[in-house]
Amino acid sequence: QVQLVESGGGLVQPGGSLRLSCAASRSIFSSNGMGWYRQAPGKQRELVAAINSGGSTNYADSVKGRFTISRDNANNTMYLQMNNLQTEDTAVYYCKGSWSLYAYWGQGTQVTVSS
């Protein structure tokens, strides 16, 4: 069993920044891959950013150039740095990680971008 706990969400004005954290109870170095997803009201959950075991990253077109995914293996923590936030970024953000054949999800953290 793996627990993932997100933190760092909140209310921010357009153009502002937030950094989300995802703390894992298992070594993220041994994970098959990790990523951030988000879900806005009335919309499907979508992939925002992902990082694989080799450190390669990919991003949704809508956040490319504004968001950066990273990890701290020593602290078993993954981050999502979000810059130049826009109102359309408002959503619940979820941490996801895969170990062996199983995927695990965090509880989500709310990000609200509003003027």
Side-chain angles (χ1 to χ4, degrees):
Q1 191 73 23
V2 179
Q3 288 78 49
L4 301 173
V5 181
E6 302 99 331
S7 62
L11 175 64
V12 65
Q13 294 181 339
S17 298
L18 287 173
R19 188 178 75 159
L20 305 183
S21 299
C22 173
S25 64
R26 186 179 295 181
S27 170
I28 64 172
F29 180 79
S30 66
S31 72
N32 302 125
M34 299 188 72
W36 290 95
Y37 292 71
R38 68 185 181 189
Q39 187 166 23
K43 295 186 177 181
Q44 292 184 299
R45 189 171 299 185
E46 64 175 346
L47 175 67
V48 177
I51 185 167
N52 67 15
S53 59
S56 297
T57 60
N58 65 84
Y59 300 89
D61 288 341
S62 60
V63 308
K64 197 170 299 181
R66 299 188 296 121
F67 290 11
T68 303
I69 188 171
S70 62
R71 63 190 180 195
D72 183 346
N73 291 332
N75 292 295
N76 293 328
T77 304
M78 180 179 66
Y79 302 96
L80 183 68
Q81 178 66 46
M82 304 184 294
N83 297 327
N84 192 24
L85 284 160
Q86 305 298 310
T87 57
E88 56 265 34
D89 296 316
T90 296
V92 177
Y93 284 71
Y94 297 91
C95 173
K96 179 188 176 182
S98 297
W99 284 262
S100 297
L101 300 178
Y102 298 93
Y104 302 88
W105 293 86
Q107 81 288 350
T109 185
Q110 177 71 48
V111 172
T112 302
V113 185
S114 177
S115 60

